[in-house]
Amino acid sequence: QVQLVESGGGLVQAGGSLRLSCAASGRAFSSYAMAWFRQAPGKEREFVASISGSGSTTNYADSVKGRFTISRDNAKNTVYLQMNSLKPEDTAVYYCAARSAFHSTWAYWGQGTQVTVSS
């Protein structure tokens, strides 16, 4: 079992930056791939970025490439999402998710943190 707690959300002006953190409890954190998803009001949840257990492989949605960076610190059981050049359309609740090496689905989710970008 993995429990995830996000933090770092808030209100920022367009063009600004935020860094989200996701702290994980449980053992063998480095064996889990981690990801960030987001859900805007009235829209479905969408993939933002993912990172492998070792941190060597990352993937991004086209909408955030070049602006967002996902990283992890396995010693701290934490994954980060650095968000730069934020746009109003980035406004959403951001969720952290974990997937073990034995599953193909994102089985563990945090409660979400609100990011609001004003124009």
Side-chain angles (χ1 to χ4, degrees), residues 7-112:
S7 61
L11 174 63
V12 64
Q13 289 189 332
S17 298
L18 279 176
R19 188 176 83 154
L20 305 183
S21 298
C22 173
S25 64
R27 298 180 178 179
F29 176 69
S30 61
S31 70
Y32 289 84
M34 301 295 296
W36 289 94
F37 289 77
R38 67 186 181 185
Q39 187 168 19
K43 295 187 177 181
E44 293 187 353
R45 189 174 298 187
E46 65 174 0
F47 169 81
V48 175
S50 65
I51 187 167
S52 62
S54 66
S56 61
T57 302
T58 57
N59 289 289
Y60 296 92
D62 288 343
S63 58
V64 306
K65 278 182 182 176
R67 299 188 299 122
F68 291 10
T69 302
I70 189 170
S71 62
R72 65 190 297 159
D73 185 337
N74 286 342
K76 296 182 178 179
N77 281 17
T78 302
V79 63
Y80 305 97
L81 184 68
Q82 178 66 43
M83 305 186 294
N84 298 328
S85 302
L86 282 161
K87 305 174 181 180
E89 50 264 44
D90 294 317
T91 295
V93 177
Y94 282 71
Y95 297 90
C96 176
R99 182 181 72 198
S100 77
F102 304 101
H103 296 92
S104 59
T105 59
W106 300 97
Y108 305 100
W109 294 84
Q111 82 290 347

